[in-house]
Amino acid sequence: MRAKLRRRKRIAEFIRSWVYVIVSCVFLTGSVFIALKEAMDYYAAPEYDIETVEVYPIVEAEDIKPDEHIPDPSKEADKMVVWIETVHHIPFEAEDTYISDEIQMLCVLIGNETGYCPEFLMSIIEAESSGRQYAENGPCKGLMQINTDWPEIAEYMAQHGYTDIYDYETNIRLGCFVLDQKREIYGDDIYAVLMAYNGSSNVSERVENGDYTDYAVGVVDRTWELERLHGK
């Protein structure tokens, strides 16, 4: 009788041992699988986005001679189009804009009215004034650092009945007006427009050589970053 009990006990211990081994193997296999999957997902995630941008040679107004033929880029694309690969680093812990909700709402409102991406306006405000309403740098004032030495600014304010250049809405609308003026010269090359907006000299020559300013690159990259954060 005792021999049978000992035999049953040994069998039970043997079964328990194998059950423990099997459970341990399943657990370890599952852990290894999860770890490998996480590692593969991490390294498979693209660290860079690459976009191809069409850039056309810039013709400034003062360089155009009377009766001179200006080629149409859309008709002479093979001759005139330059392809540039712009590589954006994807930050894994990007932070949303810190400017106030009121300013953000105005960027959306005015951006939709003027055709400018709201995140683009937010990025300029971050770069120019860090969202400070009364920021000043010489003649440059407000959120978007509007240069009051530029005669067109006073004319635009008088035409639209604006009196306070530090007013959020007024300043952002003035910034869009300045961007429009720069686009009339440099077209839709956003790097050139931003460089001109920020007061860079020899913009056309620098853009032709790919010599973009940190300011222009920073605003474009920040715009792209905010658009990703906002689900665009």
Side-chain angles (χ1 to χ4, degrees), residues 23-85:
V23 170
S24 298
C25 290
V26 171
F27 176 77
L28 289 173
T29 302
S31 299
V32 171
F33 176 79
I34 292 173
L36 288 173
K37 185 176 185 302
E38 290 179 350
M40 292 176 64
D41 290 343
Y42 177 84
Y43 289 106
E47 187 176 354
Y48 295 93
D49 273 357
I50 300 179
E51 63 175 343
T52 306
V53 183
E54 291 186 3
V55 180
Y56 297 97
I58 297 171
V59 180
E60 296 192 18
E62 58 267 24
D63 295 334
I64 301 176
K65 299 177 182 179
D67 302 324
E68 182 179 3
H69 171 65
I70 306 300
D72 182 351
S74 64
K75 296 180 180 179
E76 302 189 20
D78 292 340
K79 299 179 182 178
M80 302 184 66
V81 175
V82 178
W83 294 95
I84 296 178
E85 283 190 343

Side-chain angles (χ1 to χ4, degrees), residues 15-206:
I15 293 173
R16 281 198 298 269
S17 298
W18 272 105
V19 169
Y20 176 79
V21 170
I22 293 171
V23 170
S24 298
C25 290
V26 171
F27 176 77
L28 289 173
T29 302
S31 299
V32 171
F33 176 79
I34 292 173
L36 288 173
K37 185 176 185 302
E38 290 179 350
M40 292 176 64
D41 290 343
Y42 177 84
Y43 289 106
E47 187 176 354
Y48 295 93
D49 273 357
I50 300 179
E51 63 175 343
T52 306
V53 183
E54 291 186 3
V55 180
Y56 297 97
I58 297 171
V59 180
E60 296 192 18
E62 58 267 24
D63 295 334
I64 301 176
K65 299 177 182 179
D67 302 324
E68 182 179 3
H69 171 65
I70 306 300
D72 182 351
S74 64
K75 296 180 180 179
E76 302 189 20
D78 292 340
K79 299 179 182 178
M80 302 184 66
V81 175
V82 178
W83 294 95
I84 296 178
E85 283 190 343
T86 305
V87 180
H88 297 286
H89 178 68
I90 302 177
F92 290 100
E93 297 181 357
E95 295 184 359
D96 206 344
T97 183
Y98 50 81
I99 61 179
S100 71
D101 291 342
E102 182 180 356
I103 296 173
Q104 292 183 55
M105 290 176 64
L106 285 169
C107 286
V108 173
L109 173 66
I110 298 172
N112 290 336
E113 289 180 6
T114 59
Y116 288 108
C117 169
E119 286 77 12
F120 177 62
L121 299 179
M122 294 176 196
S123 300
I124 293 177
I125 290 172
E126 286 186 357
E128 292 287 352
S129 67
S130 298
R132 293 179 292 119
Q133 181 176 9
Y134 297 103
E136 287 191 9
N137 182 17
C140 301
K141 304 180 186 301
L143 292 176
M144 297 188 72
Q145 290 293 278
I146 306 302
N147 190 341
T148 54
D149 283 348
W150 199 28
E152 287 85 348
I153 294 298
E155 296 175 7
Y156 187 86
M157 291 184 69
Q159 179 182 355
H160 291 82
Y162 299 145
T163 57
D164 182 8
I165 198 170
Y166 294 104
D167 175 73
Y168 285 162
E169 182 175 353
T170 296
N171 201 271
I172 296 173
R173 289 191 182 279
L174 286 170
C176 292
F177 167 69
V178 175
L179 288 169
D180 286 341
Q181 302 305 302
K182 302 307 180 184
R183 288 180 64 192
E184 287 186 6
I185 301 173
Y186 300 103
D188 289 329
D189 188 324
I190 198 61
Y191 292 100
V193 171
L194 285 168
M195 289 168 67
Y197 183 94
N198 192 235
S200 299
S201 57
N202 303 320
V203 172
S204 295
E205 180 181 348
R206 295 187 65 174

